[in-house]
Amino acid sequence: MQRTPKLKRDSQAGLEAQVFVSLMRAADALARGAEALLKPYNLSGTQYNTLRILRGAGDKGLACSEVGGRLISRDPDITRLLDRMESRGLIERAREAQDRRVVRTRITAEGLRLLEGLDRPVRELHRRQLRHLPAKQLRQLSNLLERARERLEEEQCSD
């Protein structure tokens, strides 16, 4: 019986594909935990991320495009996302007096209360999800992921 020769694989491309799949699977597993935590609060991961962004912006708030630019996952319909959050009383929007084209978005007291109530459970979730990795490895992983993201964003900006 004659053996068919194995196709040569580009080991670098194979490794890159393996890393990509591993990242996607890890991100999905981490996100499922966050979704389960946020579900009883009727919040999506993107809504939670928006509240955190607006809390960090303070009283000045942010323009809609600035919120969209800071999201972890890009939401093509940021306006509709903000509409839903505003109808729940979690955020408020107002036109700038100096430039009526700019609409500032701010977190409300209700949004702050909700977010503060989630701070500890989210920290505990992250601890449970990643406690098997020592601090040194977590820092290394964070640095590597940040380098990969920055490079990808640089390439996307130059396109």
Side-chain angles (χ1 to χ4, degrees):
M1 179 177 355
Q2 188 177 3
R3 290 186 172 185
T4 53
K6 288 185 176 181
L7 296 174
K8 272 190 169 181
R9 284 183 44 179
D10 178 350
S11 63
Q12 180 71 20
L15 180 59
E16 290 162 351
Q18 180 183 351
V19 168
F20 178 83
V21 170
S22 293
L23 279 170
M24 297 304 291
R25 292 183 74 192
D28 182 62
L30 292 167
R32 281 194 314 262
E35 288 168 9
L37 176 71
L38 297 172
K39 188 174 183 172
Y41 299 92
N42 198 24
L43 275 182
S44 68
T46 304
Q47 290 172 330
Y48 172 73
N49 186 213
T50 300
L51 290 174
R52 291 189 64 222
I53 290 166
L54 291 173
R55 177 172 62 183
D59 293 338
K60 288 182 6 182
L62 294 170
C64 181
S65 61
E66 291 174 299
V67 174
R70 294 182 185 191
L71 287 172
I72 292 171
S73 298
R74 302 288 183 239
D75 189 323
D77 197 355
I78 187 73
T79 303
R80 190 170 306 166
L81 172 82
L82 296 176
D83 286 344
R84 287 190 303 270
M85 295 178 72
E86 187 174 32
S87 70
R88 287 185 59 192
L90 301 174
I91 65 165
E92 60 188 14
R93 292 181 283 184
R95 291 209 177 270
E96 286 278 305
Q98 299 88 346
D99 186 349
R100 302 278 301 147
R101 294 170 297 176
V102 177
V103 177
R104 287 275 168 198
T105 305
R106 294 170 184 83
I107 191 169
T108 62
E110 179 62 28
L112 282 172
R113 274 192 297 279
L114 176 60
L115 201 51
E116 287 167 3
L118 284 166
D119 285 342
R120 185 176 187 170
V122 168
R123 268 194 317 274
E124 290 170 356
L125 171 69
H126 293 176
R127 194 170 293 123
R128 281 193 310 274
Q129 289 175 324
L130 298 168
R131 68 178 167 225
H132 62 287
L133 296 172
K136 182 178 179 180
Q137 288 181 347
L138 286 172
R139 280 190 290 279
Q140 288 174 324
L141 179 59
S142 178
N143 290 335
L144 289 170
L145 292 172
E146 191 65 21
R147 283 180 58 195
R149 183 193 59 78
E150 286 172 353
R151 178 64 183 258
L152 291 168
E153 287 179 352
E154 286 172 9
E155 288 175 6
Q156 290 168 356
C157 287
S158 66
D159 289 343

